[in-house]
Amino acid sequence: MDYEPIRKVVDSLAVQPNLLDYGATCASFSWEGVRREFAGLPEGGGLNIAHEAVDRHAAGPLRQKLAIRWLGRDGTVLDLTFGDLREGSNRFANVLTSLGIGKGERVFALAGRIPELYLAALGTLKNVGVFCPLFSAFGPDPILQRLSRGDARVLVTTERQYAKKVAGLRDRLPLLQYILLTDVEEDPGEGVLSLPRLMGAASADFTIPPTDPEDRAILHFTSGTTGMPKGAVHVHNAILTHLVTGRYVLDFHPDDIFWCTADPGWVTGTSYGIVAPLAHGITSIIDEADFDAERWYRILQEQRVTVWYTAPTAIRMLMRAPEEQRRRFDLSALRLVHSVGEPLNPEAVLWGERVLGLPIHDNWWQTETGGIMIANYAALEIRPGSMGRPLPGIEAAILWRRDDGTVEEVTAPDVEGELALRPGWPSMFREYLHDEERYRKCFAGGWYITGDLARRDADGWFWFVGRADDIIKTAGHMVGPFEVESALMEHPAVAEAGVIGKPEPVIGEIVKAFVVVKAGHEPTEELRLEILGFGRSKLGSAVAPKEIAFIDNLPKTRSGKIMRRLLKARELGLPEGDTSTLEA
Ligand code: AMP
């Protein structure tokens, strides 16, 4: 470990964290116990996410409590209480039933973070349908691919999105029966209907039909950093993971104001942008606009955000902005900062401590896991660069694959291998839609294999090494790009780096880095040589990049992950493959 651990003094924290004794909490934890915290549906006792996240609170003392404060791009503010959410989602559920859309049928959304999207998500869950949000910036090809693979019956979108991207696809989507436009008053016709009109005519009462915890609830196409997107399907029981992670990782307390910056097009934006905070009955901020350092600091200040969940890419962008900008804002309400989606460079953790006044808590999970699996916790020490330790109730391991394809668990510390989880946690994906074979291949020897490489230290902290597909094999060494990127980021002129293996006949691959320089620095030959030397001094010649190229921006997915696959394809002049999730 290169960096000193960041220790917490619990008595000095403003709020006593929910998880104080990790070992004892893990030892006494049971998912059955969590299940018992939910009373279930009033009729029949089944488990429905929307009931537990909204109706349960709306029926009690939280009815008037602010559930969502929506900040419009243009300055509009819309406050929705738990009571409002209940009514709005009931109306949407009634709209679906009036259109003959029933259990298990797929309702898609193609919209930015607009209020209707949240009502549609919750209303679909009430109707025991399957909700699938898409990134609004998708173009026609990825939209067609997902609507068609997902057997979409209903699409909620805006007039503009429809006209620009969907209208021309309709003859190729025979199952897509209804398009509900959020911003027209009259029905344009031919299955294209006005959502406000339908909602206005629908009843505000709805009885959730019996829902089995295993009923399908949410479909997410994974961000596809490595290949064709896969449709991971989650069930209502997933809310158990959202409740537990909200409690132990995000450390929700009743008066918290929570801001998850993720878009629901990415799983973080549903699990934590919708379900987890509502399940806890706390207030969430939803910002319609995209990243802007000034706007984000203002939101943290004005909304008195206490718990903030964001991603390394956003943190790195804030790190690029002048520190003086941050100092103009009062962030004294902020208590905890969390990050997910990509490895969080140790530099970023320390930057948080220095500039935000709080270290950043990294956590790890994936679309397939449905919720946070490995995390740093509010009361426990942070080892900068580590993803932390498994959630209570989660068993994680490092595996090696034998030549015959079977796996063995590595118990020795600090050994790199495949990161695996013991199946059975509630938010585990239940299938890849229409791809049983691919689903089956994710499991071996009683483990779910995540596709990431990691190591576990002697005390049980997990360290991310890389996506199995991104690993570079150079002169007999296995090099994780993250390690190289993090080292380069310590150079004062480096804002971001993306690292790939470039085939080379003698040593297999050479390490090549693409570097974005910070504002105020010029990408000169002199700087290039300096960064090469810096890399060698930090990493040694076996691991350090042999080539460095400057680049204006790294290609990233819409959820902010560096697309190393694409950097490599471009470098080698190979086909770019699926780029549907590439950020514009
Ligand atoms: P997605 O399903 O799109 O959310 O992508 C999941 C993948 O993102 C994981 O398998 C990891 O490769 C990466 N990832 C997510 N969180 C972290 C983290 N905290 N550290 C390192 N990699 C992460």
mmCIF file of all heavy atoms in Angstrom, residues 152-180:
data_model
loop_
_atom_site.group_PDB
_atom_site.id
_atom_site.type_symbol
_atom_site.label_atom_id
_atom_site.label_comp_id
_atom_site.label_asym_id
_atom_site.label_seq_id
_atom_site.Cartn_x
_atom_site.Cartn_y
_atom_site.Cartn_z
ATOM 1 N N ALA A 152 -39.999 -4.333 -26.222
ATOM 2 C CA ALA A 152 -40.711 -3.195 -25.630
ATOM 3 C C ALA A 152 -42.161 -3.148 -26.100
ATOM 4 O O ALA A 152 -42.439 -3.292 -27.283
ATOM 5 C CB ALA A 152 -40.003 -1.900 -26.017
ATOM 6 N N ARG A 153 -43.078 -2.940 -25.134
ATOM 7 C CA ARG A 153 -44.492 -2.762 -25.477
ATOM 8 C C ARG A 153 -44.872 -1.288 -25.424
ATOM 9 O O ARG A 153 -45.747 -0.819 -26.135
ATOM 10 C CB ARG A 153 -45.384 -3.525 -24.473
ATOM 11 C CG ARG A 153 -45.255 -5.029 -24.501
ATOM 12 C CD ARG A 153 -45.774 -5.649 -25.799
ATOM 13 N NE ARG A 153 -47.076 -5.139 -26.239
ATOM 14 C CZ ARG A 153 -48.247 -5.511 -25.741
ATOM 15 N NH1 ARG A 153 -48.309 -6.407 -24.769
ATOM 16 N NH2 ARG A 153 -49.372 -5.010 -26.202
ATOM 17 N N VAL A 154 -44.220 -0.564 -24.505
ATOM 18 C CA VAL A 154 -44.553 0.851 -24.305
ATOM 19 C C VAL A 154 -43.236 1.627 -24.229
ATOM 20 O O VAL A 154 -42.268 1.142 -23.641
ATOM 21 C CB VAL A 154 -45.320 1.042 -22.965
ATOM 22 C CG1 VAL A 154 -45.597 2.511 -22.690
ATOM 23 C CG2 VAL A 154 -46.604 0.242 -22.966
ATOM 24 N N LEU A 155 -43.247 2.816 -24.819
ATOM 25 C CA LEU A 155 -42.084 3.690 -24.683
ATOM 26 C C LEU A 155 -42.559 5.062 -24.196
ATOM 27 O O LEU A 155 -43.461 5.654 -24.783
ATOM 28 C CB LEU A 155 -41.374 3.847 -26.033
ATOM 29 C CG LEU A 155 -40.230 4.875 -26.047
ATOM 30 C CD1 LEU A 155 -39.057 4.411 -25.194
ATOM 31 C CD2 LEU A 155 -39.761 5.156 -27.477
ATOM 32 N N VAL A 156 -41.942 5.526 -23.116
ATOM 33 C CA VAL A 156 -42.245 6.869 -22.612
ATOM 34 C C VAL A 156 -41.119 7.780 -23.096
ATOM 35 O O VAL A 156 -39.942 7.516 -22.836
ATOM 36 C CB VAL A 156 -42.283 6.870 -21.065
ATOM 37 C CG1 VAL A 156 -42.527 8.271 -20.527
ATOM 38 C CG2 VAL A 156 -43.345 5.898 -20.570
ATOM 39 N N THR A 157 -41.480 8.834 -23.815
ATOM 40 C CA THR A 157 -40.443 9.711 -24.334
ATOM 41 C C THR A 157 -41.020 11.105 -24.598
ATOM 42 O O THR A 157 -42.172 11.376 -24.265
ATOM 43 C CB THR A 157 -39.794 9.078 -25.602
ATOM 44 O OG1 THR A 157 -38.646 9.833 -25.973
ATOM 45 C CG2 THR A 157 -40.760 9.001 -26.779
ATOM 46 N N THR A 158 -40.183 11.972 -25.156
ATOM 47 C CA THR A 158 -40.660 13.326 -25.439
ATOM 48 C C THR A 158 -40.964 13.441 -26.930
ATOM 49 O O THR A 158 -40.508 12.618 -27.734
ATOM 50 C CB THR A 158 -39.581 14.362 -25.075
ATOM 51 O OG1 THR A 158 -38.418 14.084 -25.873
ATOM 52 C CG2 THR A 158 -39.220 14.300 -23.609
ATOM 53 N N GLU A 159 -41.673 14.499 -27.274
ATOM 54 C CA GLU A 159 -42.066 14.685 -28.678
ATOM 55 C C GLU A 159 -40.821 14.750 -29.573
ATOM 56 O O GLU A 159 -40.753 14.139 -30.628
ATOM 57 C CB GLU A 159 -42.877 15.979 -28.792
ATOM 58 C CG GLU A 159 -43.461 16.191 -30.165
ATOM 59 C CD GLU A 159 -44.270 17.484 -30.245
ATOM 60 O OE1 GLU A 159 -44.024 18.412 -29.439
ATOM 61 O OE2 GLU A 159 -45.144 17.554 -31.130
ATOM 62 N N ARG A 160 -39.828 15.481 -29.101
ATOM 63 C CA ARG A 160 -38.635 15.702 -29.902
ATOM 64 C C ARG A 160 -37.859 14.399 -30.113
ATOM 65 O O ARG A 160 -37.452 14.054 -31.211
ATOM 66 C CB ARG A 160 -37.757 16.742 -29.180
ATOM 67 C CG ARG A 160 -36.666 17.252 -30.021
ATOM 68 C CD ARG A 160 -36.116 18.580 -29.504
ATOM 69 N NE ARG A 160 -34.847 18.798 -30.179
ATOM 70 C CZ ARG A 160 -33.697 18.389 -29.702
ATOM 71 N NH1 ARG A 160 -33.645 17.776 -28.542
ATOM 72 N NH2 ARG A 160 -32.587 18.605 -30.376
ATOM 73 N N GLN A 161 -37.670 13.671 -29.002
ATOM 74 C CA GLN A 161 -36.937 12.398 -29.100
ATOM 75 C C GLN A 161 -37.674 11.460 -30.060
ATOM 76 O O GLN A 161 -37.044 10.771 -30.858
ATOM 77 C CB GLN A 161 -36.867 11.722 -27.713
ATOM 78 C CG GLN A 161 -36.003 12.413 -26.719
ATOM 79 C CD GLN A 161 -34.557 11.886 -26.739
ATOM 80 O OE1 GLN A 161 -34.230 10.979 -27.500
ATOM 81 N NE2 GLN A 161 -33.704 12.466 -25.954
ATOM 82 N N TYR A 162 -39.001 11.456 -29.929
ATOM 83 C CA TYR A 162 -39.783 10.548 -30.773
ATOM 84 C C TYR A 162 -39.590 10.889 -32.238
ATOM 85 O O TYR A 162 -39.263 10.022 -33.061
ATOM 86 C CB TYR A 162 -41.265 10.604 -30.392
ATOM 87 C CG TYR A 162 -42.103 9.757 -31.322
ATOM 88 C CD1 TYR A 162 -41.955 8.380 -31.328
ATOM 89 C CD2 TYR A 162 -42.995 10.347 -32.228
ATOM 90 C CE1 TYR A 162 -42.685 7.590 -32.209
ATOM 91 C CE2 TYR A 162 -43.719 9.566 -33.110
ATOM 92 C CZ TYR A 162 -43.568 8.186 -33.099
ATOM 93 O OH TYR A 162 -44.268 7.405 -33.980
ATOM 94 N N ALA A 163 -39.791 12.165 -32.550
ATOM 95 C CA ALA A 163 -39.721 12.568 -33.962
ATOM 96 C C ALA A 163 -38.322 12.326 -34.523
ATOM 97 O O ALA A 163 -38.164 11.817 -35.643
ATOM 98 C CB ALA A 163 -40.097 14.050 -34.087
ATOM 99 N N LYS A 164 -37.314 12.638 -33.733
ATOM 100 C CA LYS A 164 -35.937 12.566 -34.219
ATOM 101 C C LYS A 164 -35.419 11.137 -34.343
ATOM 102 O O LYS A 164 -34.690 10.806 -35.264
ATOM 103 C CB LYS A 164 -35.035 13.327 -33.228
ATOM 104 C CG LYS A 164 -34.121 14.339 -33.887
ATOM 105 C CD LYS A 164 -33.402 15.175 -32.850
ATOM 106 C CE LYS A 164 -32.016 14.655 -32.607
ATOM 107 N NZ LYS A 164 -31.329 15.336 -31.524
ATOM 108 N N LYS A 165 -35.796 10.291 -33.399
ATOM 109 C CA LYS A 165 -35.103 9.004 -33.326
ATOM 110 C C LYS A 165 -35.985 7.766 -33.434
ATOM 111 O O LYS A 165 -35.488 6.704 -33.791
ATOM 112 C CB LYS A 165 -34.354 8.908 -31.999
ATOM 113 C CG LYS A 165 -33.381 10.036 -31.749
ATOM 114 C CD LYS A 165 -32.801 9.864 -30.379
ATOM 115 C CE LYS A 165 -31.924 11.004 -29.963
ATOM 116 N NZ LYS A 165 -31.570 10.864 -28.548
ATOM 117 N N VAL A 166 -37.249 7.873 -33.039
ATOM 118 C CA VAL A 166 -38.033 6.643 -32.910
ATOM 119 C C VAL A 166 -39.054 6.473 -34.042
ATOM 120 O O VAL A 166 -39.292 5.347 -34.500
ATOM 121 C CB VAL A 166 -38.759 6.593 -31.537
ATOM 122 C CG1 VAL A 166 -39.479 5.269 -31.352
ATOM 123 C CG2 VAL A 166 -37.768 6.813 -30.407
ATOM 124 N N ALA A 167 -39.621 7.593 -34.512
ATOM 125 C CA ALA A 167 -40.705 7.500 -35.496
ATOM 126 C C ALA A 167 -40.276 6.622 -36.681
ATOM 127 O O ALA A 167 -41.026 5.750 -37.138
ATOM 128 C CB ALA A 167 -41.111 8.893 -35.969
ATOM 129 N N GLY A 168 -39.049 6.795 -37.145
ATOM 130 C CA GLY A 168 -38.569 6.055 -38.311
ATOM 131 C C GLY A 168 -38.295 4.584 -38.046
ATOM 132 O O GLY A 168 -37.993 3.831 -38.977
ATOM 133 N N LEU A 169 -38.374 4.169 -36.785
ATOM 134 C CA LEU A 169 -38.048 2.771 -36.460
ATOM 135 C C LEU A 169 -39.287 1.913 -36.291
ATOM 136 O O LEU A 169 -39.192 0.697 -36.150
ATOM 137 C CB LEU A 169 -37.275 2.709 -35.123
ATOM 138 C CG LEU A 169 -36.015 3.542 -34.966
ATOM 139 C CD1 LEU A 169 -35.504 3.431 -33.527
ATOM 140 C CD2 LEU A 169 -34.955 3.047 -35.941
ATOM 141 N N ARG A 170 -40.441 2.554 -36.299
ATOM 142 C CA ARG A 170 -41.619 1.839 -35.794
ATOM 143 C C ARG A 170 -41.968 0.596 -36.591
ATOM 144 O O ARG A 170 -42.402 -0.401 -36.027
ATOM 145 C CB ARG A 170 -42.809 2.786 -35.688
ATOM 146 C CG ARG A 170 -42.596 3.694 -34.490
ATOM 147 C CD ARG A 170 -43.842 4.248 -33.961
ATOM 148 N NE ARG A 170 -44.751 3.256 -33.421
ATOM 149 C CZ ARG A 170 -46.003 3.508 -33.156
ATOM 150 N NH1 ARG A 170 -46.494 4.697 -33.406
ATOM 151 N NH2 ARG A 170 -46.786 2.585 -32.655
ATOM 152 N N ASP A 171 -41.760 0.638 -37.916
ATOM 153 C CA ASP A 171 -42.132 -0.567 -38.669
ATOM 154 C C ASP A 171 -41.203 -1.741 -38.363
ATOM 155 O O ASP A 171 -41.511 -2.878 -38.691
ATOM 156 C CB ASP A 171 -42.205 -0.275 -40.179
ATOM 157 C CG ASP A 171 -40.938 0.376 -40.674
ATOM 158 O OD1 ASP A 171 -40.117 0.772 -39.813
ATOM 159 O OD2 ASP A 171 -40.756 0.478 -41.904
ATOM 160 N N ARG A 172 -40.082 -1.456 -37.706
ATOM 161 C CA ARG A 172 -39.200 -2.569 -37.324
ATOM 162 C C ARG A 172 -39.439 -3.015 -35.881
ATOM 163 O O ARG A 172 -38.724 -3.857 -35.359
ATOM 164 C CB ARG A 172 -37.733 -2.150 -37.511
ATOM 165 C CG ARG A 172 -37.343 -2.230 -38.996
ATOM 166 C CD ARG A 172 -35.893 -1.919 -39.191
ATOM 167 N NE ARG A 172 -35.676 -0.490 -39.227
ATOM 168 C CZ ARG A 172 -34.478 0.080 -39.212
ATOM 169 N NH1 ARG A 172 -33.404 -0.653 -39.118
ATOM 170 N NH2 ARG A 172 -34.362 1.389 -39.274
ATOM 171 N N LEU A 173 -40.436 -2.416 -35.255
ATOM 172 C CA LEU A 173 -40.727 -2.761 -33.855
ATOM 173 C C LEU A 173 -42.200 -3.156 -33.725
ATOM 174 O O LEU A 173 -43.006 -2.425 -33.143
ATOM 175 C CB LEU A 173 -40.425 -1.559 -32.950
ATOM 176 C CG LEU A 173 -38.945 -1.161 -32.858
ATOM 177 C CD1 LEU A 173 -38.784 0.232 -32.250
ATOM 178 C CD2 LEU A 173 -38.165 -2.184 -32.033
ATOM 179 N N PRO A 174 -42.547 -4.325 -34.263
ATOM 180 C CA PRO A 174 -43.973 -4.691 -34.294
ATOM 181 C C PRO A 174 -44.596 -4.821 -32.910
ATOM 182 O O PRO A 174 -45.799 -4.632 -32.758
ATOM 183 C CB PRO A 174 -43.972 -6.043 -35.024
ATOM 184 C CG PRO A 174 -42.564 -6.543 -34.961
ATOM 185 C CD PRO A 174 -41.688 -5.338 -34.876
ATOM 186 N N LEU A 175 -43.781 -5.140 -31.887
ATOM 187 C CA LEU A 175 -44.359 -5.322 -30.543
ATOM 188 C C LEU A 175 -44.618 -4.006 -29.829
ATOM 189 O O LEU A 175 -45.382 -3.945 -28.869
ATOM 190 C CB LEU A 175 -43.420 -6.164 -29.674
ATOM 191 C CG LEU A 175 -43.252 -7.623 -30.039
ATOM 192 C CD1 LEU A 175 -42.268 -8.307 -29.098
ATOM 193 C CD2 LEU A 175 -44.604 -8.335 -29.970
ATOM 194 N N LEU A 176 -43.955 -2.970 -30.274
ATOM 195 C CA LEU A 176 -44.067 -1.674 -29.585
ATOM 196 C C LEU A 176 -45.418 -1.041 -29.920
ATOM 197 O O LEU A 176 -45.616 -0.487 -30.997
ATOM 198 C CB LEU A 176 -42.917 -0.757 -30.009
ATOM 199 C CG LEU A 176 -42.887 0.624 -29.366
ATOM 200 C CD1 LEU A 176 -42.775 0.527 -27.853
ATOM 201 C CD2 LEU A 176 -41.717 1.444 -29.921
ATOM 202 N N GLN A 177 -46.320 -1.143 -28.930
ATOM 203 C CA GLN A 177 -47.708 -0.779 -29.232
ATOM 204 C C GLN A 177 -48.013 0.690 -28.929
ATOM 205 O O GLN A 177 -48.779 1.309 -29.646
ATOM 206 C CB GLN A 177 -48.602 -1.674 -28.370
ATOM 207 C CG GLN A 177 -49.935 -1.947 -28.971
ATOM 208 C CD GLN A 177 -50.676 -2.969 -28.122
ATOM 209 O OE1 GLN A 177 -50.095 -3.632 -27.262
ATOM 210 N NE2 GLN A 177 -51.971 -3.078 -28.353
ATOM 211 N N TYR A 178 -47.399 1.198 -27.860
ATOM 212 C CA TYR A 178 -47.741 2.572 -27.457
ATOM 213 C C TYR A 178 -46.506 3.410 -27.196
ATOM 214 O O TYR A 178 -45.571 2.956 -26.545
ATOM 215 C CB TYR A 178 -48.583 2.566 -26.177
ATOM 216 C CG TYR A 178 -49.915 1.905 -26.364
ATOM 217 C CD1 TYR A 178 -50.157 0.658 -25.815
ATOM 218 C CD2 TYR A 178 -50.919 2.530 -27.113
ATOM 219 C CE1 TYR A 178 -51.383 0.026 -26.004
ATOM 220 C CE2 TYR A 178 -52.148 1.911 -27.305
ATOM 221 C CZ TYR A 178 -52.368 0.658 -26.754
ATOM 222 O OH TYR A 178 -53.567 0.048 -26.946
ATOM 223 N N ILE A 179 -46.583 4.650 -27.698
ATOM 224 C CA ILE A 179 -45.548 5.633 -27.374
ATOM 225 C C ILE A 179 -46.275 6.712 -26.565
ATOM 226 O O ILE A 179 -47.249 7.289 -27.051
ATOM 227 C CB ILE A 179 -44.984 6.294 -28.659
ATOM 228 C CG1 ILE A 179 -44.718 5.274 -29.750
ATOM 229 C CG2 ILE A 179 -43.802 7.187 -28.342
ATOM 230 C CD1 ILE A 179 -43.385 4.644 -29.774
ATOM 231 N N LEU A 180 -45.797 6.955 -25.367
ATOM 232 C CA LEU A 180 -46.451 7.956 -24.520
ATOM 233 C C LEU A 180 -45.556 9.190 -24.468
ATOM 234 O O LEU A 180 -44.441 9.128 -23.930
ATOM 235 C CB LEU A 180 -46.679 7.387 -23.114
ATOM 236 C CG LEU A 180 -47.371 6.010 -23.052
ATOM 237 C CD1 LEU A 180 -47.573 5.579 -21.606
ATOM 238 C CD2 LEU A 180 -48.705 6.034 -23.794
#
